[in-house]
């Protein structure tokens, strides 16, 4: 399976963000460089379990690819939506966290990041979750963070910097290639697609970059296309008199 990689200095959005599940459809690479240390973040498609508790490798190729890549990284970061856990708990998520921690890998450190703590109004609720995970096996650290507000990110970054090993940098921290920009343009549009078109339609649409042209006046012309499987999907995507698109 070919994997599309996007590379960008972390601190700028590099991929689509949506409340919908399975927003990440292929591996995304973000690079954070501070001083003489460089950290490469690989964001994989979400992992899933079957009802039986075994990894869901037969649903779609992207999930299989994500499961196969779990053991490749020096540090595995599990991002856990603590707000959703408190408001809409899902036992499958807990089983997934526990399963990953139970699989031995002496070459990898694993950490759990409880995200969206800024949405928790009562601190006692956070203490409740901390108590629930205090005996979690297979994880070296647990971090409370807010990706939106930035709280806890400094401590997380410091920890990751401490795990860095001496070797040549993998990426040029000062270069953003045209290929990177093209991929970001696709992600920006796909994020809007996920926000405005619902049910299974966004996942069934083939989204492609058609043309990328620098114009004489300094502006940039970007052409993208959506290929739908059904006429009914096209009508929903375009909307009445083109209102949706």
């Amino acid at each position: 399976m070919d994997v599309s990689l996007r590379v960008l200095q972390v601190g700028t959005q590099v991929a689509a963000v949506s409340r919908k599940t399975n927003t990440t459809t292929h591996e995304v690479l973000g690079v954070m460089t501070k001083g003489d240390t460089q950290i490469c973040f690989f964001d994989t498609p979400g992992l899933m379990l079957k009802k039986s508790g075994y990894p869901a490798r037969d649903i779609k190729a992207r999930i299989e690819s994500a499961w196969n890549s779990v053991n490749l990284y020096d540090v595995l970061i599990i991002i856990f939506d603590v707000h959703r856990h408190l408001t809409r708990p899902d036992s499958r998520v807990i089983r997934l966290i526990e399963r990953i921690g139970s699989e031995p890998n002496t070459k990898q450190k694993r950490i759990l990041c409880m995200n969206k703590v800024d949405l928790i109004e009562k601190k006692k609720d956070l203490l409740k979750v901390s108590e629930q995970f205090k005996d979690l096996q297979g994880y070296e650290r647990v971090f409370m963070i807010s990706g939106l507000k930035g709280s806890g990110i400094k401590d997380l970054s410091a920890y990751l910097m401490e795990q860095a090993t001496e070797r040549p940098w993998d990426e040029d921290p000062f270069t953003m290639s045209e290929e990177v920009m093209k991929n970001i343009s696709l992600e920006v549009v796909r994020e809007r697609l996920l926000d405005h078109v619902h049910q299974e339609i966004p996942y069934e649409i083939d989204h492609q970059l058609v043309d990328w042209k620098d114009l004489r006046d300094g502006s940039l012309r970007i052409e993208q296309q959506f290929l739908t499987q059904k006429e009914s999907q096209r009508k929903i995507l375009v909307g009445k008199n083109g209102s949706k698109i």
Side-chain angles (χ1 to χ4, degrees), residues 6 12 16 21 24 46 49 62 77 96 104 120 140 145 152 155 164 179-180 184 190 193 200 209 235 239 244:
R6 274 77 52 75
T12 301
T21 59
T24 303
L49 291 178
R62 64 173 177 263
I77 306 174
L96 178 62
I120 310 303
E140 183 172 277
I145 67 170
D155 291 339
E179 190 63 31
V180 171
I184 292 174
R190 195 169 71 85
L193 176 67
E200 297 301 317
L209 180 67
K235 291 180 179 179
K244 178 80 73 173

Side-chain angles (χ1 to χ4, degrees), residues 80 82-87 114 116-117 119-133 144:
F80 175 55
V82 67
H83 178 257
R84 182 169 182 172
H85 176 66
L86 288 169
T87 56
M114 297 188 182
K116 301 186 181 180
V117 297
L119 299 179
I120 310 303
E121 296 180 357
K122 298 179 181 178
K123 297 305 177 184
K124 66 178 183 179
D125 289 336
L126 283 178
L127 295 176
K128 176 182 175 182
V129 178
S130 297
E131 182 69 18
Q132 182 180 356
F133 287 97
M144 296 279 190

